[in-house]
Amino acid sequence: GAVVSQHPSRVICKSGTSVKIECRSLDFQATTMFWYRQFPKQSLMLMATSNEGSKATYEQGVEKDKFLINHASLTLSTLTVTSAHPEDSSFYICSASSRAENTIYFGEGSWLTVV
Amino acid sequence: AQSVSQHNHHVILSEAASLELGCNYSYGGTVNLFWYVQYPGQHLQLLLKYFSGDPLVKGIKGFEAEFIKSKFSFNLRKPSVQWSDTAEYFCAVNAYNTDKLIFGTGTRLQVFP
């Protein structure tokens, strides 16, 4: 099946710095990718829809200036957490749709710890 | 707005017991329904999905789910669980023609030998 890869899998950064997480569809093209956030022992919360070649669509309550999303190509979306704060520490997961397989695949997730 | 409810937050079973995890959604239109599993330390994996057709859907590892439109439900079942089924299970829904998934809160399943 299709594969979605995220990098890095774990990252620690200092408060006030920015950190970028990449999401790649390895063997299919994805015009749309999604970014989720998962707090410990909680469900996934959709943050935004990443659209190739256009601006991301953010869910209510998600700060677009803090969570910058860039979908530069059909196989790559990036999430940049700007001016990171300890409250941003979380598990971030991306997903992408494979039209050929008519299903949605998830990346392995990225643990962000802000100290 | 769409929402997904999973009423069982934590389920503990012995091996060979039968499993049923509840999932209800709220959305008036056509939906696609999914069950995902997250094993400890691993990423989400698709168990099964319902798009149309036979409301009884069979997935991997012996799991199945039944879509009951009148009840807005998509319960997950397995006749005989194994220790290796210990994981977090998430029900998800997306409106027809969108790939945006709305997840339930998840059910933690623990299976003891």
Side-chain angles (χ1 to χ4, degrees):
Chain A
V3 176
V4 173
S5 177
Q6 277 183 245
H7 178 79
S9 58
R10 291 183 181 273
V11 58
I12 300 172
C13 70
K14 291 184 178 180
S15 289
T17 62
S18 296
V19 61
K20 181 186 289 185
I21 301 170
E22 295 185 345
C23 177
R24 294 181 184 274
S25 56
L26 296 184
D27 51 4
F28 64 100
Q29 294 182 333
T31 55
T32 305
M33 293 184 175
F34 299 87
W35 287 96
Y36 296 82
R37 185 173 178 178
Q38 185 180 25
F39 291 102
K41 299 184 180 181
Q42 294 187 32
S43 187
L44 286 78
M45 299 298 295
L46 179 65
M47 297 175 65
T49 303
S50 174
N51 304 300
E52 189 268 334
S54 64
K55 291 182 179 180
T57 307
Y58 290 82
E59 295 298 303
Q60 192 173 8
V62 178
E63 298 176 61
K64 61 180 181 181
D65 294 329
K66 180 166 187 62
F67 298 100
L68 300 179
I69 292 172
N70 183 29
H71 198 145
S73 74
L74 287 170
T75 59
L76 174 63
S77 173
T78 60
L79 168 68
T80 302
V81 182
T82 64
S83 189
H85 206 263
E87 294 93 270
D88 300 325
S89 298
S90 188
F91 191 51
Y92 293 87
I93 307 172
C94 71
S95 73
S97 296
S98 169
R99 291 296 172 205
E101 299 184 45
N102 200 23
T103 195
I104 300 166
Y105 290 96
F106 284 82
E108 311 96 322
S110 299
W111 281 105
L112 169 63
T113 302
V114 183
V115 297
Chain B
Q2 287 177 278
S3 67
V4 179
S5 298
Q6 290 182 244
H7 306 294
N8 315 104
H9 298 295
H10 189 189
V11 174
I12 302 174
L13 294 173
S14 298
E15 276 193 318
S18 65
L19 170 72
E20 181 160 0
L21 302 182
C23 173
N24 289 89
Y25 66 94
S26 66
Y27 183 70
T30 303
V31 294
N32 299 322
L33 297 153
F34 306 79
W35 275 97
Y36 283 87
V37 61
Q38 189 174 31
Y39 296 103
Q42 298 187 28
H43 65 283
L44 283 168
Q45 299 174 41
L46 180 67
L47 266 182
L48 48 78
K49 60 186 178 182
Y50 172 81
F51 281 11
S52 64
D54 189 345
L56 183 62
V57 180
K58 294 193 182 297
I60 61 172
K61 303 186 181 186
F63 286 91
E64 65 178 31
E66 184 174 12
F67 171 52
I68 303 180
K69 189 175 182 179
S70 61
K71 294 184 178 181
F72 297 89
S73 70
F74 190 55
N75 291 355
L76 181 71
R77 299 194 292 249
K78 184 169 183 177
S80 176
V81 294
Q82 300 173 313
W83 175 79
S84 58
D85 293 324
T86 295
E88 190 89 19
Y89 292 81
F90 294 96
C91 179
V93 61
N94 68 329
Y96 187 68
N97 269 344
T98 78
D99 294 322
K100 187 167 68 173
L101 290 181
I102 306 299
F103 282 85
T105 50
T107 297
R108 183 182 174 208
L109 172 65
Q110 279 185 293
V111 180
F112 288 97

